[in-house]
């Protein structure tokens, strides 16, 4: 399956920035570094770095989708947390973690994703303990190359 990167253009909040996220209750504006010639996919604000956000194309007949980041880094000395996300492409966005239940990998909604100081949290495919954002009740199927807004809180 082709997991082409989707540039998640943010919701503009009169900040003058090209990309905006809300983390730890603070609005974070960052300039999108992606251009047709460049391959950088990081979004930075202060000590927080969102590395290479992408979503997978929808599977036929499904109403849900997933958003991943290569990494979500907190380079600062203070802990932070991701407590919510929202997007117009889905009815709601849930924070999920993968956990082993005996011999079966299970996906569970979590109330927050902790961002300890000076660490990186993976929001990637597979593996126990990994996180991702689940797009619940998509308004339309996600296709390879689609772009959409995503707000992180």
């Amino acid at each position: 399956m082709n997991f082409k990167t989707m540039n998640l253009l943010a919701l503009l909040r009169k900040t003058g920035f090209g990309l905006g996220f809300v983390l730890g209750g603070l609005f974070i504006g960052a300039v999108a570094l992606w251009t047709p010639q460049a391959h950088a996919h990081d979004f930075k604000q202060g000590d927080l770095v969102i590395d290479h956000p992408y979503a997978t194309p929808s599977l036929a007949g499904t109403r849900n989708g997933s958003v991943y980041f290569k990494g979500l880094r907190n380079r600062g000395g203070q802990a932070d947390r991701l407590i919510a996300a929202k997007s117009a492409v889905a009815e709601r966005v849930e924070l999920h973690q993968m956990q082993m239940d005996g011999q079966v990998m299970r996906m569970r909604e979590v109330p927050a994703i902790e961002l300890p100081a000076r660490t990186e949290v993976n929001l990637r495919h597979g593996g126990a303990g990994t996180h991702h954002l689940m797009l619940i009740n998509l308004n339309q199927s996600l296709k390879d190359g689609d772009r959409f807004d995503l707000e992180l809180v």
Side-chain angles (χ1 to χ4, degrees):
M1 179 179 283
N2 181 1
F3 295 111
K4 182 174 178 172
T5 298
M6 297 174 64
N7 186 12
L8 304 176
L9 301 174
L11 302 169
L12 297 177
R13 289 192 163 188
K14 299 180 183 177
T15 63
F17 292 106
L19 183 75
F21 292 101
V22 179
L23 280 172
L26 300 173
F27 179 75
I28 297 171
V31 176
L33 300 175
W34 182 85
T35 66
Q37 296 79 25
H39 296 286
H41 292 87
D42 288 359
F43 303 100
K44 303 173 186 176
Q45 175 61 38
D47 294 325
L48 299 172
V49 178
I50 299 166
D51 185 14
H52 200 101
Y54 63 100
T56 55
S58 301
L59 299 174
T62 62
R63 299 269 308 143
N64 298 332
S66 300
V67 174
Y68 304 96
F69 307 141
K70 182 178 177 186
L72 183 54
R73 289 190 300 275
N74 180 358
R75 296 190 290 185
Q78 300 269 5
D80 209 334
R81 61 194 327 212
L82 175 61
I83 59 171
K86 54 187 165 180
S87 177
V89 301
E91 184 179 296
R92 70 182 188 277
V93 181
E94 296 178 354
L95 310 176
H96 282 201
Q97 183 176 29
M98 303 298 291
Q99 291 292 330
M100 289 300 293
D101 183 6
Q103 297 296 316
V104 178
M105 182 72 72
R106 302 221 186 258
M107 173 176 54
R108 303 232 194 284
E109 184 176 9
V110 294
I113 298 174
E114 299 298 326
L115 305 172
R118 296 182 185 87
T119 60
E120 180 171 347
V121 175
N122 292 323
L123 279 81
R124 302 190 80 176
H125 294 94
T130 60
H131 295 87
H132 64 275
L133 304 179
M134 195 76 189
L135 303 168
I136 306 295
N137 293 326
L138 289 166
N139 296 322
Q140 63 190 38
S141 294
L142 298 179
K143 296 180 180 42
D144 190 22
D146 282 352
R147 297 165 188 256
F148 58 89
D149 294 345
L150 178 69
E151 185 177 353
L152 304 178
V153 181

